[in-house]
Amino acid sequence: MNPTNSTPSFARIARDGIWDNNVALSQALALCPLLAVTGTATNGLGMGLATTLVMTVSGLLIALLRGLLTSAIRIPIFVLVIATLVTLVDLGMNAWLHDLHRVLGLFIPLIVTNCAILGRAESFAARQPALPAAFDGLMMGLGFTLVLVGLGAAREVIGSGTLFAGAPLLLGEPMSFLETTLIADYGGFLLAVLPPGGFLILGFMLAGKRLLDRRLAAAAQRAGSAPAAASTG
């Protein structure tokens, strides 16, 4: 396959991945793991980092292989590359982060079915050079990780009054500094840590992004119209 699109700047790639084309908040993809594993910020961080690693390396490999692939075999090759990387991540987490691996469970192998990874492979990595493709995977993964951690943090704080609970156990002792009790002797709010609470908080996050995007667009429009009005005056 030959590249068909011009390569965007790294700043554009970063903005798309983290905000404008965010996997969860803009594309509404990967919502199943997003809602399933974000009972705590620690779980969200672990899942996000695993997904980011797969997206970055798969983007790099697919960009390197794109000249060898025909349209008839590209999708099976993409899936094979992603599945291989997910298997390696799954085995690595089971070996070195076993407690986190046990908590995330089936959702680590299910990274293979994440539409965002295959979608970026098809729409970007297969049409761009290796370095931009890897950077795109990194930024898309980081954007997804930020949503995972943000949603997990909100659910954890509201639900149990803690933040990054179990970080040293799940992520290793060096991450113990993350574990914080924000509200001592908090009775908890069960709804926040249950799936309905995840849906509600995600809805508020989606609404907040839409509102902020509208305000930024309106501010940019006013800023653009001001010089035009001055020049005509």
Side-chain angles (χ1 to χ4, degrees):
M1 295 180 62
N2 295 320
T4 57
N5 300 333
S6 60
T7 303
S9 68
F10 284 99
R12 178 73 260 177
I13 293 173
R15 179 170 176 173
D16 274 345
I18 294 175
W19 186 259
D20 289 348
N21 202 24
N22 185 279
V23 169
L25 299 183
S26 296
Q27 301 182 58
L29 298 175
L31 297 185
C32 178
L34 177 70
L35 293 168
V37 305
T38 52
T40 68
T42 301
N43 294 349
L45 178 60
M47 187 67 179
L49 293 178
T51 305
T52 300
L53 178 60
V54 173
M55 293 189 78
T56 303
V57 180
S58 65
L60 174 64
L61 294 178
I62 288 168
L64 292 173
L65 293 172
R66 74 185 193 279
L68 305 175
L69 304 180
T70 65
S71 58
I73 65 169
R74 72 181 189 279
I75 298 299
I77 295 298
F78 294 167
V79 174
L80 179 61
V81 169
I82 295 168
T84 301
L85 293 171
V86 171
T87 300
L88 294 174
V89 169
D90 186 38
L91 293 173
M93 291 183 69
N94 194 17
W96 293 299
L97 297 170
H98 180 70
D99 292 318
L100 180 62
H101 180 272
R102 187 174 57 191
V103 170
L104 298 180
L106 181 64
F107 290 99
I108 300 173
L110 284 179
I111 294 175
V112 176
T113 64
N114 191 326
C115 298
I117 302 177
L118 184 59
R120 294 314 292 177
E122 170 68 11
S123 65
F124 195 94
R127 293 170 168 79
Q128 300 294 345
L131 188 57
F135 188 69
D136 175 76
L138 176 63
M139 291 298 104
M140 285 288 168
L142 287 179
F144 184 51
T145 301
L146 289 174
V147 178
L148 281 165
V149 174
L151 179 58
R155 294 177 67 182
E156 184 180 356
V157 170
I158 297 171
S160 57
T162 62
L163 187 61
F164 287 102
L169 178 64
L170 299 181
L171 300 176
E173 194 59 36
M175 305 299 287
S176 59
F177 71 93
L178 292 175
E179 189 172 26
T180 307
T181 299
L182 298 178
I183 308 174
D185 301 322
Y186 182 54
F189 185 59
L190 183 59
L191 177 64
V193 296
L194 292 176
F199 276 104
L200 288 171
I201 296 173
L202 178 61
F204 284 119
M205 293 175 68
L206 290 167
K209 182 182 185 302
R210 300 293 190 276
L211 180 61
L212 184 57
D213 281 340
R214 289 182 182 178
R215 291 186 175 181
L216 291 174
Q221 185 176 9
R222 288 195 298 269
S225 62
S231 62
T232 56

